[in-house]
């Protein structure tokens, strides 16, 4: 059995106990990559073997010397390719950053490095995190390990596929509108999007700055809570970072939901939801009810406005954020051009993919002087109303339970035929980002084709522990 079949925490314990070494773990991860990567394409960049082994040996020595004592010391990790890693290619899966090697690492990556995790490589993603399938990458499509004809979801599809295919022990992803939770559902892994501001965005290449958040992807709830505890911190380099004292998330790994009130939005269980997904999610809800949770259906208003509000705000922020990629300072530059403006135009035309161009154009349109009030300001007001609707719900409920996606993973090629249909697939995840809430996905079954179904739990701001406790309780009962 490969060491990559263990959870990250289990592997960390074995390394700490001297049963295996960090070098053994790194070697196993590379072996899995050699066997599976050609068919799955989870990674954009796998670090050279000598670099990985040198890092693993250095970490092993620090473990033996008692310097590194944390739960993830020596454990292999994969990083989504929109997080800066010093000296390592960071492309956002785009041609325009195809040669970019940052001079610094993102804060979340630094935290994992300090904890002794061993980075294996950078994972594939939808270009600049714009997409729900990992098909918009300039470096080829990532495939779902459960069925290679299907997508892994997106935009963190590479990270989720790498964990599901056991090509690493855990991974980092980023979530702008469900980009951790939806692919976690499609790939049958666990993922957490924390409260906005909990994990520093320093070094995360921005898509929608008011929505982006880094989070863990792993095999189970324990791993996710452990990783989140390590990467959460106040960071003065990030103006949106929040100073919190309650980031001991592993303290919430308690199997008890007695008296916990869980709301189930009727709006999320209507038209468009696959019956097999609905049945799996409701079966999981009944497991929590059997453990003492109080379940109640309710109406969560404004759901139908979440997708248009999200795509207006996210595209507006993207058009602003991506204006820095102009061929002047770093990244791709067109070879032949006449003058500065022609160089800008040709560099961006050649460097950005179709989906990114589509969102830049939409964002530029809604920010233009004639349409700013009609679209962008209206979207911001809608965002505030959605937050108010969740505030009202959390006055009554500890958690909200829903599907993570309306279907299981679609076949490769289906979603890109109809971008609007792809956008509508984010209906259950987008509101969480608009309201800055924490949300997580836990596997809760499969459909008739063997494709995974994910249960989504949503908590109020800074209430990740309730979410983790309920997810852990469900996971413990499901395992029996």
């Amino acid at each position: 059995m490969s060491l990559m079949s263990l959870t990250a925490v289990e592997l960390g314990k074995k390394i700490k106990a001297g049963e295996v070494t960090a070098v053994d773990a790194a070697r196993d991860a590379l072996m899995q990559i050699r066997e599976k990567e050609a068919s799955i394409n989870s990674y954009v960049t796998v670090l050279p073997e000598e670099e990985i082994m040198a890092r693993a040996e250095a970490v092993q020595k620090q473990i033996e010397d008692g310097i590194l004592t944390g739960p993830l010391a020596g454990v292999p990790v994969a990083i989504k390719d929109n997080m800066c890693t010093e000296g390592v290619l960071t492309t956002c899966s785009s041609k325009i950053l195809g040669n970019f090697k940052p001079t610094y690492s993102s804060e979340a990556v630094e935290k994992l490095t300090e904890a002794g995790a061993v980075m294996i490589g950078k994972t594939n993603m939808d270009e600049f995190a714009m997409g729900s399938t990992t098909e918009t990458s300039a470096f080829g499509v990532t495939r779902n390990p459960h069925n290679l004809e299907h997508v892994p979801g997106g935009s963190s599809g590479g990270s989720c596929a790498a964990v599901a295919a056991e090509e690493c022990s855990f991974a980092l992803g980023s979530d702008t509108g469900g980009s951790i939770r939806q692919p976690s559902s499609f790939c049958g892994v666990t993922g957490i999007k924390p409260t906005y501001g909990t994990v520093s965005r320093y070094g995360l290449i921005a898509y929608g700055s008011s929505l982006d958040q880094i989070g863990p992807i792993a095999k189970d709830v324990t791993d996710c809570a452990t990783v989140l505890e390590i990467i959460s911190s106040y960071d003065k380099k990030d103006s949106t970072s929040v100073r919190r004292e309650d980031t001991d998330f592993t303290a919430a790994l308690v199997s008890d939901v007695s008296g916990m009130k869980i709301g189930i939005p009727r709006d999320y269980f209507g038209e468009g939801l696959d019956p097999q997904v609905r049945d799996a999610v409701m079966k999981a809800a009944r497991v929590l009810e059997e453990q003492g949770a109080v379940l109640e259906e309710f109406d969560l208003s404004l759901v139908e406005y979440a997708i248009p509000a999200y795509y207006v705000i996210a595209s507006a922020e993207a058009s602003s954020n991506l204006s820095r990629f102009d061929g002047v300072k770093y990244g791709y530059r067109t070879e032949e051009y006449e003058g500065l403006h022609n160089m800008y135009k040709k560099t961006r035309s050649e460097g950005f993919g179709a989906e990114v161009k589509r969102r830049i154009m939409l964002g530029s349109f809604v920010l233009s002087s004639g349409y700013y009030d009609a679209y962008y300001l209206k979207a911001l007001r809608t965002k505030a109303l959605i937050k108010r609707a969740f505030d009202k719900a959390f006055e009554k409920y500890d958690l909200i339970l829903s599907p993570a996606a309306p279907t299981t993973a679609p076949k490769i090629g289906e979603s890109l035929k109809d971008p609007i249909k792809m956008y509508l697939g984010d209906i259950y995840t987008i509101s969480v980002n608009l309201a800055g809430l924490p949300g997580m996905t836990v596997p809760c079954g499969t459909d008739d084709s063997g494709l995974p179904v994910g249960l989504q739990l949503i908590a109020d701001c800074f209430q990740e522990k309730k979410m983790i406790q309920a997810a852990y309780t469900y996971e413990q009962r499901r395992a029996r």
Side-chain angles (χ1 to χ4, degrees), residues 163-459:
V163 173
E166 299 181 347
E167 294 180 311
C168 61
S169 294
F170 70 99
L172 288 188
S174 67
D175 193 308
T176 308
S179 297
I180 286 173
R181 290 161 289 143
Q182 182 252 37
S184 292
S185 174
F186 284 0
C187 290
V189 295
T190 303
I192 295 180
K193 181 260 166 198
T195 303
Y196 183 76
T198 297
V199 179
S200 171
R201 290 186 301 108
Y202 178 75
L204 173 69
I205 297 173
Y207 163 21
S209 304
S210 71
L211 307 165
D212 296 339
Q213 188 63 186
I214 293 170
I217 296 160
K219 289 186 177 69
D220 67 3
V221 178
T222 300
D223 278 5
C224 277
T226 304
V227 177
L228 185 58
E229 193 169 297
I230 288 168
I231 63 175
S232 298
S233 68
Y234 172 72
D235 182 11
K236 63 183 179 182
K237 299 186 295 297
D238 173 10
S239 63
T240 59
S241 181
V242 177
R243 197 183 296 276
R244 294 181 61 175
E245 306 297 329
D246 61 339
T247 56
D248 55 333
F249 298 114
T250 51
L253 296 170
V254 178
S255 185
D256 181 18
V257 289
S258 302
M260 193 176 279
K261 292 182 177 178
I262 299 177
I264 300 176
R266 292 188 190 94
D267 324 59
Y268 284 14
F269 286 84
E271 188 182 350
L273 179 63
D274 185 297
Q276 292 186 56
V277 172
R278 182 185 62 237
D279 291 348
V281 171
M282 290 311 297
K283 185 179 177 184
R286 286 193 291 274
V287 169
L288 290 172
E289 190 173 35
E290 287 164 7
Q291 297 306 304
V294 179
L295 267 55
E296 185 177 301
E297 291 187 0
F298 75 106
D299 293 315
L300 182 64
S301 61
L302 302 165
V303 168
E304 66 268 35
Y305 302 113
I307 285 178
Y310 169 82
Y311 278 101
V312 168
I313 293 168
S315 297
E317 294 182 7
S319 75
S320 175
N321 281 323
L322 270 62
S323 64
R324 72 193 67 174
F325 304 112
D326 53 15
V328 175
K329 296 175 286 295
Y330 46 75
Y332 173 79
R333 180 188 293 178
T334 187
E335 291 182 7
E336 296 180 15
Y337 55 90
E338 297 173 8
L340 185 64
H341 288 283
N342 183 250
M343 189 268 283
Y344 286 162
K345 190 190 297 184
K346 286 191 70 179
T347 294
R348 289 168 175 162
S349 295
E350 295 166 14
F352 289 133
E355 183 62 31
V356 173
K357 289 175 186 172
R358 191 179 292 124
R359 298 196 194 193
I360 288 172
M361 287 191 290
L362 174 61
S364 299
F365 173 77
V366 301
L367 289 175
S368 60
S369 59
Y371 298 97
Y372 185 88
D373 290 354
Y375 291 102
Y376 185 64
L377 281 186
K378 195 176 286 184
L380 290 180
R381 291 190 192 104
T382 304
K383 178 184 178 183
L385 290 172
I386 289 168
K387 176 68 169 75
R388 204 174 301 162
F390 275 105
D391 288 344
K392 189 178 178 183
F394 285 121
E395 287 174 9
K396 190 172 185 182
Y397 305 111
D398 295 300
L399 295 172
I400 292 171
L401 181 150
S402 80
T407 64
T408 52
K411 282 193 171 182
I412 289 169
E414 283 183 1
S415 299
L416 292 189
K417 292 176 190 171
D418 185 355
I420 300 298
K421 187 178 178 184
M422 181 174 74
Y423 300 165
L424 292 172
D426 297 334
I427 188 165
Y428 304 132
T429 54
I430 272 172
S431 297
V432 171
N433 299 78
L434 289 172
L437 304 169
M440 71 182 293
T441 297
V442 186
C444 67
T446 58
D447 67 7
D448 290 343
S449 303
L451 290 166
V453 176
L455 163 75
Q456 181 177 217
L457 294 169
I458 304 166

